[in-house]
Amino acid sequence: MKHNNAEMHAVGAAHGELGDPRHWTAKRRDFLRILGYGAGAAALGPLVACGSSSAATTAESLREQLMKDEAFWTSVQNMFTLNPDKTFMNIGTAGSMPKLVLDVFDTENRKKAAESGNGYSNHLALRQAVAPGFGVDPEELAFSANTSSGMCHAILGLDWKAGDVVVTTNHEHGGGDTPLNIAKDRYGIEISRIAMPVGNNQTAATYVELFEQRIAQLKAAGKNVRAMMWSSPTYKTGTMLPIADLMGVVKKHGLISIVDGAHLPGMMAYNYADLGMDFMSGAGHKWQCGPGSTGILIIRNKVRASNPLPLPKWFPVHTSSYNAADRNTTAYDVAGSVTTCGSTHTPMFQALAQACQQWDSIGRKKIETYDLTLASYLKEKIAERWGVESLYSPKDDPKLLSALTSFNPFYKNNKDDIMDSAKSSSFVARMLSDYPQHFIIRNANFAVIGAPKDHYGVRVSTHLWHDANDVDKLVDAMWDLANKMK
Ligand SMILES: Cc1ncc(COP(=O)(O)O)c(C=O)c1O
């Protein structure tokens, strides 16, 4: 594993340029820690004490909380090289590498070229550095190519039998649905979809009930319910399906649990050993702001109190490292097997590890709180102007919150325009072209219970490079545009 140590030296290799940390001033130390240098130095200041919405929460109080730490978040915003002529609010589709991540990527690419380096590695040292930020051991954290690739690893590696039923929702992404459909055609599994509620009138208990009811119906019909698969959050409405609560259903029925967590790394500070799902596939290139073609796949490889069910029978399907004899030992580096598939692009994973180190250094909980507070602020402002019924994302149950906000921007008299794909797309395009901030947002279509056609909800991502002023300007522009599109 010699080259693995070399990999780790690359993470934060620029330390040398900064001199001896003992000689940094307190201000410099703080700033550099934010940028990803000097992890492990003194703890950061108090967090923004929010992250959930409640009846007493007003847009004004959320704004105050966001502005409390303004200087800190301005320095975080300066970590990035984003084009200042635009306002990037579609992190749910693509993040952006911070300068230091770009530096590591560039330096390591050049080093690799100069030394004609290879990528034959399971990247253990990098996985050791990254895994604690996700609450798991390195042998449970694999680097994948992205969320979709992780979902293929997870779903297509299971020993499906004809008639096995997977209970999922009708708001899943193609990244998870595609391997499910392959398993259906190849092994004869059945897919049972729950119709997703939308809007603020739902709680975590709604999801427990929906999954419980469906499983009971299937079992009563003699079906072999084998697994649950769901997105937390869904890309369509940003609803955070409550993992801990749904894991209660999984454990009660002895099921395999597969979470499409595309948006979780870099947004939420979850501890995956505590949550205990069998698989969580997330993106490295979205909220975690690593390079494209990177993902983080968590594979349960230990029976812990959080999930006492036996490990599911599963085989790697995309690997060049497999030792059948190891499979049932707890020391089995299952994630190493998934990460290893011929020669990989080492600088890409070194850059991902750098991004993860910066997030750990800022504090994953601090980022989660800030992102969710920005989203709650946006949701409250939308509820004030358009009415709470215009929201597709829930706002009042803290367990259902994510940093994705989806809503219907069209005014009351023409709110059905949200079923007009072209009009919704035109709204998104004009937010970019017609306003000086050039807002980048997106729309996504989804079924709404009782609606004759799909809705094309408008979706906004709020992340660590935004502040309350960005949300204010966005809401004003969207209100103005909705008026023009009446
Ligand atoms: C819920 C969900 N799953 C999967 C994906 C696919 O992500 P990736 O490009 O990382 O494969 C996305 C992308 O937006 C998503 O939102």
Side-chain angles (χ1 to χ4, degrees):
M1 298 292 162
K2 258 185 285 170
H3 52 297
N4 283 335
N5 288 334
E7 282 174 4
M8 271 319 296
H9 287 146
V11 176
H15 280 213
E17 297 158 21
L18 299 165
D20 186 338
R22 286 169 303 179
H23 302 139
W24 296 349
T25 62
K27 200 169 164 207
R28 180 172 170 78
R29 209 173 293 126
D30 239 26
F31 183 66
L32 293 171
R33 192 173 55 245
I34 292 162
L35 294 182
Y37 294 111
L44 290 162
L47 303 182
V48 179
C50 189
S52 67
S53 194
S54 74
T57 305
T58 61
E60 214 35 57
S61 69
L62 290 164
R63 191 174 209 291
E64 267 168 37
Q65 291 177 57
L66 290 166
M67 297 310 281
K68 259 187 213 157
D69 245 355
E70 193 187 3
F72 175 82
W73 291 107
T74 303
S75 59
V76 169
Q77 286 154 20
N78 289 333
M79 289 171 20
F80 295 90
T81 64
L82 294 157
N83 177 352
D85 296 335
K86 296 181 183 166
T87 306
F88 295 93
M89 296 184 136
N90 188 15
I91 298 101
T93 299
S96 167
M97 283 182 268
K99 289 172 205 160
L100 266 180
V101 175
L102 287 167
D103 287 349
V104 167
F105 203 3
D106 183 50
T107 306
E108 293 303 320
N109 262 319
R110 287 175 188 284
K111 211 188 282 175
K112 180 170 158 54
E115 300 298 329
S116 191
N118 71 65
Y120 291 104
S121 171
N122 65 11
H123 302 298
L124 178 61
L126 292 174
R127 291 187 290 118
Q128 280 167 336
V130 167
F134 296 88
V136 292
D137 294 329
E139 65 269 17
E140 300 168 296
L141 185 142
F143 295 143
S144 60
N146 48 39
T147 318
S148 307
S149 111
M151 292 302 282
C152 287
H153 281 293
I155 293 169
L156 298 176
L158 286 160
D159 72 326
W160 300 110
K161 308 271 187 307
D164 285 349
V165 181
V166 180
V167 181
T168 186
T169 83
N170 66 339
H171 281 189
E172 298 306 315
H173 190 278
D177 267 348
T178 303
L180 265 193
N181 286 328
I182 294 170
K184 177 168 160 260
D185 290 349
R186 183 166 184 188
Y187 303 107
I189 68 162
E190 295 171 26
I191 303 168
S192 179
R193 293 190 190 276
I194 291 167
M196 284 282 289
V198 300
N200 191 42
N201 191 20
Q202 50 176 315
T203 66
T206 310
Y207 288 97
V208 171
E209 223 171 278
L210 285 169
F211 277 88
E212 280 286 8
Q213 267 173 13
R214 178 59 60 89
I215 291 166
Q217 283 164 7
L218 288 162
K219 284 188 168 174
K223 296 287 185 183
N224 182 30
V225 181
R226 182 95 192 280
M228 273 169 49
M229 188 272 253
W230 70 89
S231 294
S232 291
T234 74
Y235 83 103
K236 294 179 181 291
T237 65
T239 305
M240 183 67 77
L241 269 65
I243 298 179
D245 298 70
L246 290 180
M247 283 304 296
V249 182
V250 160
K251 285 179 267 183
K252 181 172 155 196
H253 295 280
L255 305 178
I256 297 165
S257 42
I258 308 159
V259 178
D260 178 340
H263 305 273
L264 294 179
M267 179 206 282
M268 305 301 285
Y270 286 165
N271 179 311
Y272 296 98
D274 289 351
L275 287 169
M277 75 279 280
D278 290 307
F279 304 94
M280 189 291 294
S281 178
H285 62 94
K286 296 180 190 284
W287 304 79
Q288 186 56 71
C289 294
S293 297
T294 61
I296 285 174
L297 173 63
I298 309 286
I299 307 176
R300 184 168 74 103
N301 194 34
K302 291 184 177 62
V303 177
R304 296 184 174 92
S306 60
N307 186 355
L309 295 174
L311 300 175
K313 195 169 179 192
W314 178 88
F315 296 87
V317 289
H318 182 267
T319 184
S320 54
S321 163
Y322 173 62
N323 183 350
D326 285 346
R327 276 198 74 249
N328 294 319
T329 67
T330 50
Y332 175 44
D333 186 0
V334 63
S337 173
V338 167
T339 302
T340 308
C341 194
S343 187
T344 57
H345 194 58
T346 302
M348 194 169 76
F349 296 125
Q350 288 167 317
L352 174 65
Q354 174 65 39
C356 290
Q357 185 195 314
Q358 284 178 246
W359 259 238
D360 291 343
S361 191
I362 294 169
R364 288 185 180 273
K365 192 68 190 171
K366 189 171 174 106
I367 295 170
E368 173 189 306
T369 303
Y370 187 69
D371 280 9
L372 295 185
T373 307
L374 279 166
S376 290
Y377 179 52
L378 172 59
K379 286 171 190 159
E380 291 300 334
K381 290 197 74 147
I382 289 170
E384 277 176 10
R385 294 248 182 128
W386 281 265
V388 69
E389 63 285 356
S390 70
L391 283 169
Y392 296 111
S393 315
K395 79 173 180 69
D396 286 338
D397 185 338
K399 287 185 177 176
L400 302 187
L401 296 181
S402 84
L404 290 168
T405 299
S406 161
F407 84 116
N408 177 351
F410 297 114
Y411 281 2
K412 280 206 168 58
N413 290 340
N414 54 327
K415 65 176 174 33
D416 284 353
D417 285 354
I418 202 66
M419 287 182 268
D420 179 341
S421 159
K423 193 152 184 192
S424 170
S425 296
S426 166
F427 187 93
V428 168
R430 289 183 63 179
M431 286 297 293
L432 172 63
S433 61
D434 292 9
Y435 295 89
Q437 295 84 7
H438 303 295
F439 296 101
I440 313 261
I441 56 174
R442 68 163 282 182
N443 61 3
N445 66 308
F446 46 87
V448 171
I449 296 167
K453 287 200 280 185
D454 273 9
H455 286 213
Y456 290 77
V458 167
R459 194 189 82 180
V460 178
S461 303
T462 43
H463 204 14
L464 73 186
W465 61 68
H466 300 128
D467 55 33
N469 298 322
D470 293 319
V471 173
D472 292 342
K473 287 177 191 150
L474 172 84
V475 169
D476 286 346
M478 292 195 301
W479 185 250
D480 179 70
L481 183 56
N483 188 40
K484 287 178 177 146
M485 291 180 74
K486 272 201 296 212

